[in-house]
């Protein structure tokens, strides 16, 4: 069954940002659904969908991502192919417009899974990808937010993303194509004012992203330090396998575990091997959208 589910972060999305989030996920879902309907495979679809969210400027991924404590953008992304279990990921890059495309290159063109920093950017060049200027990634909105934060001299929240209202606009997608193949991709600028060099869950296979055609696919968003402790994406996949494919039970159990074990906040999007999709989160809001072949209209909610 053709199926596509995407997210644009789980946090206390303020009223004035809801329209931009809705528009961003609507555009990305529309692009992806058209592709799947016209026979595109899940990997191509996820790359395009996540790139659209990275380019949008609204989300904490690609252009417009949060700045770190040095006032720089450091991007992370990952992708996994559920048919082959091949995966690729990139972390802490400063000059890559679409980290999801670099994650795909690493998945398909290298013998490695995770490349970081300058080495990852060199690999991008070796693969014929062009790098962008760092400035191109920075938005006025995020610069203002970062400057205001620096001026407040309140550094107590530097690594404290624990609260449900901290911004978290990571993006992700899970797609199933006509062959029943599943692909998952996740992309982020990480947490606001993070320590330079900090890497969260999103580029870690099993934490931010997991796909296995036999079971399903998961992409996560939320407090990375908590997600990593319970290996969130793979944990939800394991729940899915154990419960016979009940997406809602698996997603809810994952988020309950996140809160109970590590006092974490965030959300997951989940697809099973039949293409059924579900969402769970424990933040005030989560931007998500999905459509399957069994639906007439997509569901788009923030
Ligand atoms: N999980 C991401 C991270 O910790 C943040 C997010 O989902 O927005 O890097």
């Amino acid at each position: 069954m053709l199926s596509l589910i995407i997210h644009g972060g789980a946090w206390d999305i303020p009223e004035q940002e809801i329209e931009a989030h809705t528009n961003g996920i609507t555009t990305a879902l529309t692009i992806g659904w058209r592709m799947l309907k016209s026979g595109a495979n899940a990997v191509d679809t996820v790359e395009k969908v996540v790139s659209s969210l990275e380019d949008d400027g609204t989300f904490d991924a690609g252009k417009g991502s949060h700045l770190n404590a040095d006032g720089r953008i450091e991007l992370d992304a990952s992708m996994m192919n559920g048919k082959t279990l091949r995966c690729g990921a990139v972390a802490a890059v400063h000059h890559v417009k679409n980290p999801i495309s670099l994650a795909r290159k690493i998945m398909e063109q290298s013998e490695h899974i995770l490349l970081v920093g300058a080495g990852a950017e060199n690999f991008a060049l070796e693969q014929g990808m062009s790098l962008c200027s760092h400035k191109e990634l920075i938005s006025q909105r995020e610069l203002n937010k970062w400057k205001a934060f620096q001026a407040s001299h309140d550094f107590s929240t530097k690594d404290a993303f624990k609260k449900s209202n901290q911004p978290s606009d990571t993006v992700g997608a899970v797609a199933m194509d006509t062959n029943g193949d599943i692909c998952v991709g996740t992309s982020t600028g990480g947490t606001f004012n993070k320590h330079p060099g900090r890497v969260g869950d999103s580029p870690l296979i099993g934490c931010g992203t997991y796909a296995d055609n036999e079971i399903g696919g998961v992409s996560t968003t939320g407090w990375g330090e908590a997600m990593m402790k319970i290996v969130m994406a793979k944990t939800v996949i394991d729940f899915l396998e154990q419960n016979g494919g009940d997406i809602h039970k698996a997603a809810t159990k994952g988020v309950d575990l996140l809160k109970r074990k590590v006092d974490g906040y965030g959300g997951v999007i989940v697809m099973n091997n039949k293409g059924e999709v579900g969402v769970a989160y424990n933040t005030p809001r989560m931007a998500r959208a999905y459509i399957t072949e069994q639906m007439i209209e997509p569901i788009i909610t923030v």
Side-chain angles (χ1 to χ4, degrees):
M1 171 165 86
L2 298 181
S3 180
L4 178 62
I5 181 163
I6 70 175
H7 72 79
W11 59 292
D12 188 7
I13 302 169
E15 286 295 326
Q16 68 273 18
E17 291 192 31
I18 289 179
E19 194 181 337
H21 280 73
T22 306
N23 292 343
I25 54 175
T26 303
T27 303
L29 193 81
T30 307
I31 291 171
W33 192 237
R34 267 197 212 123
M35 287 181 71
L36 287 175
K37 294 280 261 186
S38 59
N41 66 44
V43 175
D44 286 343
T45 304
V46 165
E47 183 183 2
K48 267 279 171 351
V49 166
V50 175
S51 296
S52 162
L53 295 163
E54 289 173 337
D55 291 341
D56 190 275
T58 301
F59 305 96
D60 179 31
K63 193 178 92 189
S65 287
H66 299 322
L67 304 189
N68 69 11
D70 279 350
R72 301 191 79 200
I73 283 183
E74 274 187 348
L75 302 174
D76 309 329
S78 59
M79 184 185 267
M80 185 160 185
N81 182 337
K83 183 182 178 187
T84 58
L85 301 197
R86 285 187 74 170
C87 36
V90 58
V93 289
H94 303 273
H95 305 98
V96 179
K97 190 171 155 282
N98 293 110
I100 195 68
S101 298
L102 181 51
R104 179 180 181 175
K105 283 269 188 234
I106 293 165
M107 174 173 91
E108 292 180 341
Q109 306 297 336
S110 88
E111 57 188 294
H112 306 300
I113 289 180
L114 173 61
L115 294 179
V116 307
E121 293 188 352
N122 284 340
F123 180 78
L125 290 174
E126 284 159 29
Q127 292 297 315
M129 287 176 72
S130 49
L131 298 181
C132 67
S133 74
H134 184 247
K135 243 178 145 181
E136 212 178 297
L137 298 172
I138 298 180
S139 70
Q140 199 56 47
R141 179 197 65 224
E142 290 302 317
L143 192 59
N144 292 346
K145 200 190 292 173
W146 184 80
K147 282 185 177 160
F149 183 74
Q150 299 302 314
S152 77
H153 296 296
D154 171 15
F155 297 108
S156 56
T157 60
K158 191 161 181 170
D159 66 347
F161 182 64
K162 302 165 188 138
K163 306 218 175 65
S164 57
N165 61 356
Q166 288 295 316
S168 156
D169 263 345
T170 293
V171 304
V174 186
M176 178 182 278
D177 61 27
T178 37
N179 296 322
D181 291 332
I182 297 173
C183 178
V184 180
T186 308
S187 180
T188 190
T191 47
F192 176 67
N193 206 49
K194 65 188 178 184
H195 196 288
R198 177 265 187 193
V199 174
D201 59 316
S202 308
L204 302 184
I205 299 301
C207 294
T209 293
Y210 204 82
D212 180 343
N213 272 8
E214 287 182 9
I215 308 163
V218 172
S219 170
T220 73
T221 174
W223 181 29
E225 279 71 8
M227 297 279 183
M228 287 150 85
K229 286 178 191 155
I230 62 161
V231 197
M232 187 67 164
K234 181 61 164 66
T235 295
V236 173
I237 287 284
D238 290 345
F239 289 156
L240 201 55
E241 186 174 32
Q242 287 154 14
N243 74 19
D246 187 323
I247 41 183
H248 298 293
K249 275 195 187 141
T252 308
K253 201 170 166 185
V255 171
D256 288 350
L257 188 77
L258 180 72
K259 182 74 184 80
R260 184 169 60 79
K261 281 264 189 195
V262 290
D263 199 22
Y265 288 92
V268 288
I269 54 172
V270 183
M271 182 184 290
N272 65 15
N273 59 10
K274 295 194 217 95
E276 294 163 342
V277 292
V279 180
Y281 57 100
N282 63 357
T283 48
R285 292 182 192 276
M286 177 166 175
R288 74 270 187 196
Y290 55 91
I291 180 156
T292 75
E293 251 179 332
Q294 286 170 343
M295 294 163 60
I296 297 162
E297 292 287 329
I299 303 279
I300 299 166
T301 323
V302 177

